[in-house]
Amino acid sequence: MIALPVLLGLLARFTLAAAVPANESGLIFGYFFAFSADDGDAASFTNEEDGNYAIQWEANSGHFIGGAGWNPGSAQSISYSTFSPVGNSWFSIYGWTTDPLVEYRILEENFGGVDPTVGLTSKGSLTSDGSVYNIYEAQIFNGVSPVGTANFSQYWSIRQSPVTAGVPTVTTQNHFTAWAAAGMPLGEFGYQIVATEQAGGASASTEAGSLSVLVRTRPGGFCATEFAQCGGEGFTGPTCCVSNTTCVQDNQFFSTCVAD
């Protein structure tokens, strides 16, 4: 008979994907996810294993945003891999804080050339992870937020040079420090995701598109998610586990990340 942790680990590895309805969030495969779409029939979000997710959208699908990450977020280094989509979309580290209520983006890639800086106020720049980022701020009134309709600040860091080599990494602490120095403080962290987003209205893409993303934290390597294998004789994958899980030995050949 297969031990329960081993069975769960095998089931996790053979679970291919989980589709997510529009305007949903939660925890799956060891990662927090969030997906919001104006038209849930025109844009779809799928959680995949080990931090992967995929988004597909039809032409003129309106605004959507979705991604995988953590709740709460933190000042951490985040790595990702991504395939360039067709059409207009933004790719960013996206999150919220409370006290003060802030919506923030560290914009890594801007596919299709839609200018996100319209209506934003320039607040300087910083250099991090091989690029200059320009900093912007905006004030949003009666906007949609995790605490309901509210007034809040919006912070942006926008990468100026594309990643050309290695694993793309975002050192979020560098941005948070630069924002604070520019008079843009953060509060208590809410959720934080590696997000794909399409603007609505006239900025919505007139083409269909798709994107696949793999999300990881660094340093310390890529850690295994809950129920995934984290050790065993001959195992060459990650031997650390994501937060709130511990690597537990099932037998000589298999160890599994189990929730604390």
Side-chain angles (χ1 to χ4, degrees):
M1 180 178 293
I2 301 176
L4 179 59
V6 177
L7 178 60
L8 291 174
L10 292 173
L11 288 173
R13 286 190 290 164
F14 285 105
T15 299
L16 296 179
V20 173
N23 305 310
E24 291 286 336
S25 63
L27 185 69
I28 191 169
F29 302 136
Y31 284 83
F32 176 82
F33 72 88
F35 175 55
S36 175
D38 289 346
D39 185 349
D41 294 326
S44 64
F45 181 93
T46 303
N47 276 304
E48 300 175 345
E49 292 181 273
D50 300 332
N52 290 283
Y53 74 83
I55 293 183
Q56 293 183 315
W57 62 92
E58 299 175 3
N60 303 307
S61 57
H63 177 263
F64 65 78
I65 183 168
W70 307 267
N71 189 16
S74 64
Q76 61 182 331
S77 293
I78 300 172
S79 293
Y80 62 88
S81 62
T82 175
F83 298 101
S84 298
V86 175
N88 298 328
S89 63
W90 296 331
F91 187 73
S92 68
I93 309 301
Y94 174 89
W96 288 85
T97 72
T98 55
D99 293 324
L101 185 62
V102 174
E103 177 188 35
Y104 65 86
R105 292 172 179 84
I106 302 172
L107 186 62
E108 288 292 289
E109 300 185 63
N110 183 8
F111 301 106
V114 174
D115 185 2
T117 66
V118 175
L120 304 182
T121 300
S122 177
K123 301 289 284 189
S125 65
L126 76 149
T127 299
S128 181
D129 301 309
S131 178
V132 171
Y133 289 79
N134 290 338
I135 300 172
Y136 298 90
E137 182 182 19
Q139 299 300 317
I140 307 300
F141 299 98
N142 297 319
V144 177
S145 81
V147 298
T149 302
N151 301 335
F152 54 87
S153 298
Q154 194 179 72
Y155 301 166
W156 296 70
S157 285
I158 301 179
R159 189 180 180 99
Q160 300 301 297
S161 302
V163 177
T164 57
V167 177
T169 300
V170 181
T171 308
T172 61
Q173 181 64 71
N174 294 345
H175 298 269
F176 301 160
T177 299
W179 294 348
M184 300 159 55
L186 292 173
E188 182 177 350
F189 283 102
Y191 73 82
Q192 180 183 74
I193 59 176
V194 180
T196 302
E197 179 177 11
Q198 177 177 262
S203 298
S205 176
T206 57
E207 302 176 80
S210 63
L211 185 75
S212 296
V213 181
L214 172 64
V215 180
R216 288 292 185 270
T217 56
R218 292 173 67 92
F222 295 163
C223 291
T225 57
E226 186 177 0
F227 305 134
Q229 186 175 2
C230 55
E233 187 173 311
F235 178 66
T236 59
T239 57
C240 60
C241 294
V242 296
S243 61
N244 301 319
T245 64
T246 301
C247 189
V248 177
Q249 183 177 9
D250 304 312
N251 54 52
Q252 177 182 354
F253 302 100
F254 204 95
S255 296
T256 309
C257 289
V258 178
D260 294 335

